[in-house]
């Protein structure tokens, strides 16, 4: 589509503030994992940290809780946009 501002030749990237927010989310999830496993020596592994963060954001969203978890979203047509909130709905308070 010629008028679509979301279509870019380069891939979008999160800005520094958005990336810092995601670091905060992942660090919180990692702390939760160490607490739940009772293993303070648990090694960082985005294989489970990312999955748990996504799952938690989804569950909170289903319960009507707004979750700020910035992400680059790629549409079926290859266009991209950044969503600040999980699920893309910023209007939920």
């Amino acid at each position: 589509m010629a008028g679509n501002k979301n279509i870019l030749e380069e891939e979008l990237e999160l800005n520094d503030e958005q990336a810092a927010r995601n670091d905060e989310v992942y660090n919180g999830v990692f702390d939760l994992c160490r607490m739940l496993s009772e293993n303070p020596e648990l090694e960082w592994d985005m294989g489970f940290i990312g999955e748990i963060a996504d799952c938690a954001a989804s569950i909170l969203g289903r319960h009507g809780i707004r979750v700020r978890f910035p992400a680059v979203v790629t549409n079926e047509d290859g266009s991209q946009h950044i969503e600040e909130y999980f699920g893309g709905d910023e209007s939920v308070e």
Side-chain angles (χ1 to χ4, degrees):
M1 292 179 158
N4 190 337
K5 294 180 182 178
N6 291 333
I7 297 176
L8 301 175
E9 295 193 12
E10 292 183 30
E11 287 194 24
L12 287 178
E13 293 184 9
L14 299 178
N15 65 32
D16 290 345
E17 189 272 331
Q18 291 165 327
R21 171 61 183 166
N22 283 354
D23 287 346
E24 182 181 29
V25 169
Y26 295 134
N27 285 327
V29 168
F30 183 57
D31 288 343
L32 173 69
C33 292
R34 288 190 302 194
M35 185 271 299
L36 287 172
S37 69
E38 297 182 319
N39 180 1
E41 304 303 318
L42 184 68
E43 291 190 27
W44 183 275
D45 184 340
M46 281 303 294
F48 63 81
I49 294 169
E51 186 175 352
I52 292 168
D54 290 343
C55 183
S58 178
I59 291 168
L60 290 168
R62 284 197 318 266
H63 286 272
I65 300 169
R66 184 174 161 172
V67 177
R68 183 160 175 264
F69 193 7
V72 175
V73 177
T74 302
N75 302 308
E76 288 183 19
D77 66 359
S79 64
Q80 294 183 319
H81 64 278
I82 293 177
E83 290 183 356
E84 284 289 327
Y85 294 87
F86 190 84
D89 185 7
E90 294 186 40
S91 64
V92 177
E93 298 270 339

